[in-house]
Amino acid sequence: MSATTSSDPLSLRFESLARSGRRALVTYMTAGHPDPVQSVALMRALQDGGADVIEVGVPFSDPMADGPVIQRSSQVALEHGVGFAQVLAMVHEAALSIPVVLFSYLNPVLAAGPEVLVRASEAGVHGVLLTDLPVGADPEREAWIGAGPLAFVRLVAPTTPVDRMREIARHGRGFVYLISRLGVTGMQANVASDLPDSIARLRTATDLPICVGFGVSTGAQAQAIGRLADGIVVGSAIVQAAERGIDAAHALTVELRQALDNI
Amino acid sequence: MTAPALVRDRFGAFGGRYVPETLIPALDELEGALDAALLDPTFDAEWRDLLTHYVGRPSPLSDAPRLSELVGAPVWLKREDLNHTGAHKINNTVGQALLARRMGKSRIIAETGAGQHGVATATICARFGLECVVYMGEEDMRRQSLNVYRMQLMGATVVPVTSGTRTLKDATTEAIRDWVTNVRDSHYIIGSVVGPAPYPRMVREFQSVIGRESRAQMLERAGSLPRSVVACVGGGSNAMGIFAGFVDDAGVELVGVEAAGEGLESGRHSASLSRGTPGVLHGSLSYLLQDGQGQVYPAHSISAGLDYPGVGPEHSYLKDSGRAMYVAVDDGQALEGFAMLSRLEGIIPALETAHAVAWIAAQRGRWASNEPVLLCVSGRGDKDVSQVREMGILPL
Ligand SMILES: Cc1ncc(COP(=O)(O)O)c(C=O)c1O
């Protein structure tokens, strides 16, 4: 399905960005980090700083796709007793005007029960992205999520062959999340050299907007990637800034916004 | 929306491939290489040659006269402890290293708990000249320091894992992170019948040599199939390997023995099948120790090799289908099993194996005097002797 025919808030946001020739800034934060109260303030600060979409991470005890920064933030959130219900309560309390995408591993979602997608939608969540549920891994549960009220955002990796990219795009909504390089989440000094090639191949496979994440942390990287893709996802850098304070995370968001708008 | 292509290798509802997208092409490649190898007589010949002349197979089937007397039924011991490196783990690492070589991978990653799988991986990597990186929880490195030194002697790099509970669960998570990062030149040798497809099937395939040999040996030496086959279950590879030989024999009972740690009621145990609920960890859906929020509980067992909150998906299937039964033995009983096999048969078992010994020893009267019981002695206890001695356990 194509982004231009959908009317969900995520697709509408990307359509309006495309009309004005701007790139999407997607910022990640772990719900419950630095602590549950500050998390709500952080969501608002990211929105105020110019984020287009907020990815809200659901903490998990064994985050195999995450590097040290997000691992640590998940651990902190779990120590604060943050579970699925608390994550949704934070999103609800933040009452954002921009779309929210839940970023989770599958197990906490399964544990939250069959009503979880509807509850998330009612709390103000618009999309869901599951790190360990690749296309084809579990058709039954993928169909359950695909038929629910949230846009099911799917991931593409540098190792994904182009015919599989097409398959993934067919099952995705909202945007396609392109992992910029091999490895786990975390900040990197350089943009992967094969990224332009990956983006070009993905373009041939989908009309959905393409957002690039994993390793993006600076304004310069945002610009380099923003020239090729429809948006960027910044995770570990935001989480690390949030450890210094909400103001630091806000300042980084503003810097990334300006960089993207000055391409 | 068309349904995505079905993934093979489900065991009923269990199994699957719950991994980051980056790994999917590598799992496809591995599955292709495995299926081709299993049909290729050259691969089979290479594998068998190594098992015979390097590992020392077939492993013997020993009778156990004094343990049999205690139990009241003939107990037979499948001696995986006599393999090179002292456990069943090497059956799998030889097979996977051969596959890695065929796929042109020059670097091997492994996780280890007790260190036995790490040692078995380091061993075959030395033999094949492959780079070897082993992730091991800091806590396990302390418990099994001799195995750390063995791996290093054979040229492996042992990376201490300091996240989470610092045991096998976290070492596995860390090994997966390495694999996601270095997937183009690295093969991840998982040490048990866990992980995403095709790992559970592949590891069972390589371990099923235990079951095939012992079935033939039982028919030859005992003159009949066993009434019961008993094995300890951590991830479940020695159990799956020996069960594989008997799963089609309806009259043979299959018993897996989990670690009850400080007791099933204490909350400090590793009995995923006895006390867990279905959930997703490390790439597959299986019984799992987890809280109501889907967060994985830290496991506990006196034996590092059983100290894992998950279990292979095929065991979950065998449990739910009723084909196998699963029981649990606590730390104290395992120590008694350790001392008992040492004293009665002159065989010092691994603490993992000692759980299965203890369960059998406690079942006097369960079997008639003509019903043979087959026990998988998954490994030898040399690695555990100093830990047990430090605990002040006196000879019986
Ligand atoms: C001797 C021995 N037995 C059993 C196990 C448990 O593994 P599995 O359940 O995969 O056989 C281990 C693991 O390290 C081991 O070293």
Side-chain angles (χ1 to χ4, degrees), chain A residues 59-64 66 71 78 83-84 106-107 111 131-132 134 136-138 157-160 164 167-168 171 182-183, chain B residues 1-2 4-5 7 10 17-22 24-25 169 173 177 180-181 184 279-281 290 292-296:
Chain A
F60 181 48
S61 52
D62 298 82
M64 67 178 163
D66 286 303
Q71 279 175 48
L78 290 175
F84 221 100
L106 180 58
N107 207 48
T131 326
D132 55 353
D138 188 337
T159 50
T160 309
R164 187 171 159 80
E167 175 85 356
I168 293 171
H171 292 93
L182 301 182
Chain B
M1 195 176 281
T2 54
V7 166
R10 286 251 166 202
R17 268 190 187 178
Y18 302 90
V19 292
E21 169 65 22
T22 307
I24 293 293
K169 166 178 93 96
T173 303
R177 291 186 184 122
V180 177
T181 311
R184 290 205 167 106
V280 173
L281 178 69
Q290 57 181 329
Q293 305 275 1
Q295 308 298 342
V296 181

Side-chain angles (χ1 to χ4, degrees), chain B residues 139-193:
Chain B
E139 168 69 12
D140 289 339
M141 287 179 74
R142 191 188 57 73
R143 285 197 279 192
Q144 303 286 347
S145 58
L146 206 54
N147 271 342
V148 174
Y149 186 64
R150 283 197 183 98
M151 290 183 261
Q152 290 166 339
L153 259 182
M154 291 184 284
T157 305
V158 183
V159 182
V161 174
T162 55
S163 55
T165 53
R166 302 166 187 225
T167 60
L168 183 53
K169 166 178 93 96
D170 307 283
T172 305
T173 303
E174 210 52 49
I176 293 172
R177 291 186 184 122
D178 181 319
W179 199 32
V180 177
T181 311
N182 300 293
V183 63
R184 290 205 167 106
D185 71 346
S186 301
H187 172 65
Y188 175 24
I189 300 190
I190 294 186
S192 193
V193 285

